[in-house]
């Protein structure tokens, strides 16, 4: 498995606030998938959920350095970082869930294989799972890999980004023209999706928008928009609260606007493209400011840096772990579109899931270090 096991704390020039920001993001992703807020769903999503995916796209472009690598070198590197884990993790999770379903339910191997095929085609919705008869017969595979759509869109967006980044970032005129064009391309592709009633293969309709957000992040990085000495502690708090208030205002005025989940827009169709891009611009200021405050807190800062540095594997495994914890303890996480789990039970599931992830990563990285050390000494 392609894993980077270097300790980020040994890099003196690393901006740890960005690792903390990724930790905040991935922990919020976990709570969105595990917790149940039927009474306060809109408020909670406005505070913790609606801006998450565009935030990750924007942040991913921040450290891009024009000219450091050729587009093909960058694409090859990104393929190892995203595509290899995508297939390895999905195959391992499919084997585990298939074994469980064959033992504990009436599902057949053919039905389990159909679920993996649906996953490869990015058909992750509850409707698809129900069509395969999986909801009442076992653990739906397309549910426990429900976050993998993000990797698909991120990879194709990165490929497009690497092909055009250096040219686009060379001038502000090009930057505004290209990013605007990409946003409107996603808008028109989503209009097509709205008319058809289903997404395009691999949710390709949202790749241009994601590329635009990565370009925005790269432009932020080029001009040092969020440096270590960005602002004072007082203004960090003010920036975070004002940005959050603006996001909540949009949500209260247009409930669900810009909600981007399972690779598709959930409420206003093609029009969701525009608030989603707006969140991608606003959210980094809010989260980075908060991260710089948390960076000053001993122990908590190191814990968050550790989590942030491992945000990708946490993204890939947290749903399957929380699902199995739910099956074993009776503390089932919330299924898409289903409610009724008590917040206390959700909190226990969340804590157990995070604990299992920490143990898994510590053991796995220990094994990788041993293997690497043995190869060097051979």
């Amino acid at each position: 498995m392609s894993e980077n096991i270097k300790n980020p704390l040994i890099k003196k020039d690393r901006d740890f606030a960005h690792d903390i920001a990724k930790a905040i993001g991935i922990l919020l992703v976990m709570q969105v998938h595990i917790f149940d807020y039927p009474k306060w769903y809109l408020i909670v999503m406005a505070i913790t959920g609606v801006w998450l995916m565009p935030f990750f796209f924007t942040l991913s472009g921040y450290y891009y350095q024009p000219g450091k690598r050729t587009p093909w070198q960058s694409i090859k590197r990104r393929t190892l970082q995203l595509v290899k884990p995508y297939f390895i993790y999905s195959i391992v999770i499919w084997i585990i869930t298939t074994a469980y379903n064959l033992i504990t339910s009436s599902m057949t191997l053919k039905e389990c294989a159909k679920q993996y095929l649906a996953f490869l085609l990015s058909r992750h919705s509850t409707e698809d799972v129900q069509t395969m008869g999986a909801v009442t017969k076992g653990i739906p595979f397309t549910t426990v890999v429900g976050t993998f759509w993000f990797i698909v869109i991120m990879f194709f967006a990165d490929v497009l980004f690497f092909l055009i980044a250096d040219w686009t970032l060379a001038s502000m005129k090009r930057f505004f023209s290209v990013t605007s064009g990409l946003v409107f391309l996603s808008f028109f592709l989503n209009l097509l999706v709205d008319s058809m009633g289903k997404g395009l293969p691999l949710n390709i309709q949202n790749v241009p928008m994601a590329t635009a957000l990565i370009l925005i992040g790269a432009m932020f990085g080029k001009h040092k928009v969020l440096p270590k000495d960005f602002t004072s502690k007082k203004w960090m708090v003010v920036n975070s609260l004002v940005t959050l208030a603006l996001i909540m205002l949009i949500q209260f005025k247009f409930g669900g606007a810009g909600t981007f989940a399972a690779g598709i827009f959930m409420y206003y169709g093609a029009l969701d493209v525009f608030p989603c891009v707006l969140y991608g611009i606003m959210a980094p200021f809010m989260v980075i400011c908060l991260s710089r405050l948390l960076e000053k807190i001993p122990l908590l800062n190191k814990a968050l840096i550790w989590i942030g540095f491992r945000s990708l594997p946490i993204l890939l495994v947290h749903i399957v772990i929380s699902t199995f914890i739910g099956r074993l303890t009776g503390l089932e996480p919330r299924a898409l579109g289903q409610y009724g789990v008590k917040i206390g039970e959700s909190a226990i599931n969340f804590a157990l899931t995070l604990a299992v992830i920490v143990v898994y990563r510590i053991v796995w990285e220990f094994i990788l270090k041993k293997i690497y050390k043995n190869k060097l000494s051979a």
Side-chain angles (χ1 to χ4, degrees):
M1 193 175 295
S2 178
E3 300 261 7
N4 186 347
I5 58 173
K6 295 179 181 178
N7 187 346
L9 296 177
I10 66 175
K11 293 188 176 183
K12 295 182 180 180
D13 60 339
R14 190 179 183 94
D15 190 346
F16 298 136
H18 287 254
D19 291 303
I20 294 174
K22 288 191 289 185
I24 293 171
I26 198 62
L27 290 173
L28 290 176
V29 168
M30 287 179 60
Q31 70 84 24
V32 167
H33 292 145
I34 294 174
F35 277 78
D36 177 24
Y37 307 100
K39 294 182 179 179
W40 318 292
Y41 181 73
L42 186 61
I43 297 175
V44 173
M45 285 301 295
I47 296 173
T48 67
V50 72
W51 50 267
L52 278 173
M53 293 300 104
F55 160 75
F56 276 116
F57 286 127
T58 304
L59 194 66
S60 71
Y62 190 82
Y63 285 105
Y64 178 75
Q65 298 178 21
K68 183 177 181 180
R69 298 183 181 90
T70 67
W72 303 113
Q73 287 173 333
S74 297
I75 291 171
K76 180 180 178 181
R77 183 168 178 263
R78 206 61 169 148
T79 300
L80 291 174
Q81 291 175 334
L82 293 179
V83 178
K84 191 175 180 181
Y86 177 88
F87 282 105
I88 293 176
Y89 274 95
S90 66
I91 290 171
V92 171
I93 292 172
W94 180 79
I95 291 172
I96 293 171
T97 55
T98 296
Y100 177 87
N101 288 335
L102 292 177
I103 294 170
T104 63
S105 75
S106 59
M107 288 186 68
T108 65
L109 184 60
K110 183 178 180 180
E111 285 179 314
C112 294
K114 284 183 177 180
Q115 289 189 75
Y116 194 79
L117 177 61
F119 160 74
L120 292 178
L121 297 174
S122 292
R123 297 172 68 230
H124 296 166
S125 71
T126 303
E127 180 183 353
D128 293 322
V129 176
Q130 289 174 339
T131 300
M132 288 178 284
V135 168
T136 58
K137 299 173 68 175
I139 292 178
F141 173 73
T142 50
T143 298
V144 295
V145 291
T147 57
F148 281 56
W149 66 266
F150 178 80
I151 307 300
V152 176
I153 293 180
M154 175 67 84
F155 173 72
F156 287 111
D158 275 335
V159 170
L160 180 56
F161 169 79
F162 291 134
L163 292 175
I164 65 174
D166 288 1
W167 182 85
T168 301
L169 297 171
S171 74
M172 292 301 293
K173 183 178 180 180
R174 291 178 187 174
F175 169 75
F176 283 116
S177 298
V178 172
T179 52
S180 299
L182 289 169
V183 170
F184 277 97
L185 177 57
S186 265
F187 170 71
F188 288 119
L189 289 174
N190 274 281
L191 283 178
L192 177 62
V193 167
D194 293 344
S195 66
M196 295 190 306
K198 61 179 180 179
L200 298 176
L202 304 177
N203 295 312
I204 207 75
Q205 71 271 13
N206 290 316
V207 167
M209 179 202 66
T211 305
L213 288 172
I214 299 171
L215 282 167
I216 291 169
M219 187 59 80
F220 282 172
K222 180 180 178 180
H223 292 281
K224 308 294 183 188
V225 172
L226 297 168
K228 292 182 179 180
D229 58 349
F230 173 57
T231 187
S232 66
K233 184 182 295 186
K234 171 186 174 182
W235 286 106
M236 288 180 190
V237 175
V238 172
N239 283 336
S240 295
L241 293 177
V242 169
T243 305
L244 180 59
L246 289 173
I247 293 173
M248 291 182 67
L249 181 63
I250 294 171
Q251 286 301 297
F252 289 138
K253 183 66 177 178
F254 307 100
T259 302
F260 189 44
I264 59 175
F265 289 110
M266 307 298 289
Y267 288 88
Y268 296 95
L271 289 174
D272 278 328
V273 169
F274 301 110
C276 187
V277 172
L278 184 61
Y279 300 149
I281 296 171
M282 296 165 61
F285 288 90
M286 173 178 69
V287 184
I288 295 297
C289 286
L290 176 60
S291 299
R292 297 211 186 282
L293 296 174
L294 296 177
E295 191 178 5
K296 310 296 183 183
I297 303 176
L299 296 181
L300 177 62
N301 56 4
K302 291 186 178 181
L304 290 173
I305 291 168
W306 189 93
I307 292 171
F309 194 63
R310 293 155 179 84
S311 56
L312 177 60
I314 293 175
L315 174 73
L316 298 179
V317 304
H318 74 273
I319 293 183
V320 67
I321 291 174
S322 67
T323 299
F324 273 100
I325 287 174
R327 290 296 174 98
L328 294 172
T329 63
L331 304 173
E332 293 273 5
R334 174 176 64 84
L336 184 63
Q338 298 175 357
Y339 301 96
V341 181
K342 295 179 180 178
I343 289 182
E345 293 178 353
S346 299
I348 295 172
N349 187 300
F350 181 92
L352 291 174
T353 298
L354 186 59
V356 171
I357 289 173
V358 170
V359 172
Y360 143 67
R361 290 306 303 178
I362 291 173
V363 172
W364 179 239
E365 290 172 20
F366 175 80
I367 293 171
L368 288 180
K369 287 178 181 178
K370 285 291 185 182
I371 294 173
Y372 182 70
K373 185 176 180 180
N374 290 337
K375 283 184 178 180
L376 289 179
S377 61

